[in-house]
Amino acid sequence: MGRPRPFSRSTVLVVEDDDDQRSLAATVFEEAGFKVVECASAEAAVAVIDARRGEIAMIFTDVRLSGVMDGVELAQIACDKAPTVPVIVTSGASGERLRDLPARTEYMQKPWRALELLMRAERVRADGDHVAWRGDIL
């Protein structure tokens, strides 16, 4: 396996309305050397994407969020606004809503462990075009 190529961007956008889950994910990414921007809602995340698109290396979002939009809608908007930025969507519940995920998103079942999160993030980064891996939901 070749050496992983470095991200040209250095920030992970973590979107989660549960404070403890958001803090845990942020800590995992920070300990891996990333800067982290945390948001509790999809609306706040869209504002970050618009303002800091060139800095964002990856978006990690829960499906269920506070606010009007959920994580699936956020993933759809993120894929439109920043098509080269990988998106990992996580949820503790499966269901029909997950079938609406954009093709270029990764899905990760909760509960996840820190090592699993980093491995998934590395795989998405290495793939570059982050083609969907939907074995968890279909």
Side-chain angles (χ1 to χ4, degrees):
M1 189 153 95
R3 290 184 58 193
R5 61 178 192 256
F7 277 111
S8 59
R9 304 170 188 124
S10 61
T11 301
V12 175
L13 177 57
V14 175
V15 189
E16 167 68 68
D17 62 349
D18 179 280
D19 293 338
D20 292 336
Q21 288 287 311
R22 187 175 61 246
S23 178
L24 176 60
T27 299
V28 167
F29 285 117
E30 286 170 346
E31 289 183 1
F34 292 97
K35 298 175 191 169
V36 175
V37 174
E38 299 179 41
C39 295
S41 72
E43 292 81 9
V46 170
V48 171
I49 292 166
D50 287 340
R52 300 175 69 175
R53 185 175 310 160
E55 300 171 38
I56 299 173
M58 183 179 310
I59 299 168
F60 180 70
T61 184
D62 190 15
V63 170
R64 296 182 186 184
L65 299 170
S66 59
V68 176
M69 288 190 288
D70 67 9
V72 174
E73 290 169 289
L74 173 59
Q76 293 166 341
I77 290 169
C79 287
D80 288 341
K81 289 181 175 272
T84 63
V85 175
V87 179
I88 299 174
V89 178
T90 187
S91 179
S94 59
E96 293 297 316
R97 189 71 184 117
L98 297 177
R99 295 187 190 278
D100 294 330
L101 286 173
R104 292 175 291 132
T105 19
E106 286 272 333
Y107 173 73
M108 187 169 190
Q109 180 72 38
K110 280 183 176 180
W112 45 263
R113 292 181 293 195
L115 182 58
E116 291 172 323
L117 177 58
L118 288 176
M119 288 173 45
R120 182 68 60 96
E122 177 60 27
R123 189 177 81 205
V124 168
R125 180 180 77 131
D127 288 348
D129 59 358
H130 52 283
V131 175
W133 183 75
R134 295 187 166 240
D136 288 346
I137 55 177
L138 297 179

